Amino acid sequence: MAVFVALGAFLMTLAGGWTAQRVTDRRHLVLGLAGGLMLGVVGLDLLPEALDAAGTEVFGVPAALLLFVAGFLLAHLVERLLAVRQAAHGGDEHDGRVPEVGLTAAAAMVGHSAMDGLAIGAAFQVGGGMGLAVAVAVIAHDFADGFNTYTITSLYGNARRRAQLMLVADAAAPVAGAAAATVVTVPEQLLGGYLGLFGGALLYLAAAEILPEAHHEHPARSTVLCTIAGAAFIWLVVGLAA
């Protein structure tokens, strides 16, 4: 049942990526929306879950928040190291961006989607009602996941085919995660730490890369409105799933 329900997440993720792919003639609006979606996912979805799951404190600070900061710094460090390595080896960049950074970020999105599948499977082990509730929440925000996966991969200069492959991998990940939940159990504190780390990395991509690029060539009010709409959409999803 969990795997069957996860197929809904598969289709919704593909729908999000397809939407991002079809509106490339309004690139600044796509990036503005993606930035808002990512901000909403981090602030309204990932961080609250991380704080609930990883309740321990380290020197007076919740472990989830420490990992959140670590994720932000790690994303920045990885980007800089890959850029330096690419320049040293004479590799190509796309508007100052290294394609491998986009692939790494997309791979992190795939990993997050797999964890979503695990959450669906674990919830169905508790009960059918709980499983359906979690599944609805996951499926609802998987549109944003697919949209962001394709956008991030493309933003860093990867070919359209690579972006499509990462989108398909992201769509398939919840199904694989739901299937794995039949044999794997993820400790709650470990899950909370992971969500904090991933949230920090995602915020870095939104704040340092996607939103500045959205306003670089088209500093229009419509782009800002798309960003606000993206965050508001995640708020709506979280509120309906609560």
Side-chain angles (χ1 to χ4, degrees):
M1 182 63 179
V3 175
F4 178 76
V5 170
L7 290 174
F10 174 86
L11 295 174
M12 189 63 78
T13 302
L14 289 181
W18 180 85
T19 301
Q21 187 177 178
R22 296 293 294 180
V23 290
T24 51
D25 58 330
R26 293 288 184 269
R27 187 169 179 267
H28 59 294
L29 299 180
V30 170
L31 293 175
L33 180 62
L37 289 171
M38 293 169 75
L39 175 62
V41 167
V42 172
L44 307 177
D45 186 20
L46 295 182
L47 266 184
E49 288 187 27
L51 289 169
D52 285 342
T56 58
E57 291 189 354
V58 179
F59 204 61
V61 177
L65 291 183
L66 287 175
L67 287 167
F68 174 78
V69 174
F72 188 99
L73 295 175
L74 179 63
H76 177 59
L77 178 63
V78 168
E79 183 187 37
R80 290 297 87 212
L81 288 176
L82 285 174
V84 170
R85 178 178 176 275
Q86 194 86 346
H89 289 79
D92 295 330
E93 291 190 0
H94 175 76
D95 294 334
R97 293 183 172 85
V98 183
E100 285 77 5
V101 174
L103 292 176
T104 301
M109 297 291 292
V110 173
H112 175 61
S113 293
M115 297 298 287
D116 281 345
L118 280 172
I120 292 175
F124 269 101
Q125 291 177 11
V126 174
M130 175 68 74
L132 286 175
V134 172
V136 168
V138 169
I139 291 172
H141 85 250
D142 270 351
F143 179 89
D145 284 352
F147 192 97
N148 289 335
T149 298
Y150 186 88
T151 302
I152 289 172
T153 309
S154 301
L155 176 65
Y156 282 86
N158 289 285
R160 182 175 179 177
R161 180 173 177 79
R162 279 189 176 182
Q164 290 172 337
L165 287 173
M166 295 308 298
L167 172 63
V168 172
D170 188 48
V175 181
T182 59
V183 294
V184 175
T185 301
V186 181
E188 186 177 12
Q189 285 192 333
L190 180 62
L191 178 61
Y194 159 77
L195 291 175
L197 188 72
F198 178 71
L202 205 59
L203 182 63
Y204 175 81
L205 292 172
E209 298 293 332
I210 289 182
L211 288 177
E213 180 67 15
H215 294 277
H216 178 60
E217 296 180 359
H218 298 275
R221 282 182 294 180
S222 57
T223 306
V224 176
L225 291 175
C226 282
T227 302
I228 295 172
F233 173 75
I234 299 299
W235 184 18
L236 177 65
V237 168
V238 171
L240 291 175

